[in-house]
Amino acid sequence: MLPALTLFLLFFALPVGYAVHLSLRRVEVEGLGLGGGAREEVWAGLSNYADALGDPELTAGALRVLGYGLIVVPVMLGLALVFALMLDADRVRGRSFTRLAIFLPYAVPGVIAALLWGFLYLPDVSPFHYLLGELGLPRPDLLDGGPLYLALANIAIWGGTGFNMIVIYTALRAIPAEVHEAARLDGCSQLQTALRVKIPMVAPSLVLTFFFSVIATLQVFSEPTTLKPLTNSVSTVWSPLMKVYQDAFVRSDIHAAAATAVVIAVVTLVLSFGFLRAVGSRTGQEESR
């Protein structure tokens, strides 16, 4: 256990503790802030947290991420479940190639995927816009206004569906063959078997993928950051993590950034713990019945 404990302390516990330490301090500037001793780091208590919780930019970013997540999570998990069920169906052809093709976008780094889709969204260079124009169809600008949420969600769905599909498909393949045989003997069709047998038996995998998807949604950063140079609709503080980056490396306020990061981590932990408790209590009630 010593190597794992050492890695945990060095690369998780120590950085988290240092972030908490920074969040409790601030820099006082005397005069113009020039010369030695003009800047001094002092104890700030919870003032950085109060500023973070009252920051309208952070609140607006959280609301934007909420709208983004309401699109990404259900669509991505729905597609992953459908693809996994289709691959697990009888008489399916090209299972290995299809599984690899669906999973392959997950292997593309997030920045590369955002750049790829970003240029496909740009009206001046997008082949889709050219084809729509040739066909006389309307050409929407997905990088402007409300469609921006769909553009960002599409990148996340394209990249994350394959991973979730593999998790669910692995759980489906672990279902004993006797269960499938019993469903056939009872006269269940493929659809009835999927709805009444397969989906209930892979519920733990669905919970796991939902859990990971929510965490990834709360931590969205690379997609809006990469698309920002391509459109004015993405601000520098579009998501909470972009706000942290802006405070730390643009405004040079590492203490405010640390406080905001701790707030985001606590909110993520509370939501995750609450969701797992709710799922665990519901599972316990069903088992007791």
Side-chain angles (χ1 to χ4, degrees), residues 3-268:
L5 181 61
T6 302
L7 292 174
F8 174 80
L9 292 175
L10 288 178
F11 297 103
F12 186 82
L14 186 61
V16 169
Y18 184 60
V20 173
H21 168 75
L22 289 175
S23 68
L24 298 174
R25 304 182 70 83
R26 60 185 174 84
V27 174
E28 281 191 350
V29 180
E30 294 183 1
L32 298 177
L34 304 176
R39 295 175 176 268
E40 182 182 5
E41 187 176 289
V42 298
W43 176 260
L46 299 178
S47 61
N48 288 328
Y49 290 98
D51 294 339
L53 293 175
D55 193 337
E57 290 183 344
L58 181 61
T59 304
L63 292 176
R64 283 190 288 266
V65 168
L66 176 61
Y68 165 84
L70 290 176
I71 301 173
V72 171
V73 175
V75 174
M76 181 169 60
L77 295 185
L79 289 175
L81 178 60
V82 170
F83 288 148
L85 291 171
M86 292 174 65
L87 289 173
D88 191 59
D90 296 335
R91 300 179 182 178
V92 64
R93 296 181 179 180
R95 179 182 285 112
S96 299
F97 172 78
T98 305
R99 184 172 65 245
L100 178 62
I102 297 173
F103 177 77
L104 194 58
Y106 178 74
V108 179
V111 175
I112 302 300
L115 283 174
L116 168 67
W117 282 102
F119 285 111
L120 291 177
Y121 292 151
L122 280 177
D124 294 337
V125 298
S126 173
F128 301 120
H129 277 256
Y130 173 77
L131 292 176
L132 291 174
E134 291 295 318
L135 295 174
L137 299 176
R139 297 181 292 179
D141 186 359
L142 296 178
L143 295 178
D144 185 31
L148 177 65
Y149 286 87
L150 298 177
L152 290 170
N154 175 66
I155 299 173
I157 293 168
W158 180 78
T161 299
F163 171 79
N164 294 303
M165 181 271 296
I166 290 294
V167 174
I168 300 171
Y169 177 72
T170 303
L172 287 172
R173 301 303 292 177
I175 297 177
E178 294 81 2
V179 176
H180 297 281
E181 186 64 27
R184 291 194 197 95
L185 293 176
D186 288 339
C188 292
S189 64
Q190 289 283 343
L191 180 60
Q192 291 173 328
T193 302
L195 296 177
R196 300 180 181 180
V197 178
K198 293 182 178 181
I199 293 179
M201 294 192 71
V202 299
S205 296
L206 294 175
V207 171
L208 180 66
T209 53
F210 179 82
F211 178 70
F212 286 153
S213 299
V214 169
I215 293 178
T217 299
L218 294 174
Q219 297 177 349
V220 60
F221 177 80
S222 61
E223 291 87 353
T225 301
T226 306
L227 291 183
K228 183 185 175 302
L230 305 179
T231 174
N232 294 325
S233 297
V234 180
S235 66
T236 56
V237 291
W238 192 88
S239 71
L241 283 188
M242 292 177 69
K243 169 80 165 88
V244 173
Y245 180 88
Q246 189 74 10
D247 287 342
F249 302 108
V250 178
R251 300 171 182 169
S252 299
D253 192 350
I254 192 68
H255 305 284
T260 305
V262 172
V263 169
I264 296 172
V266 171
V267 170
T268 304

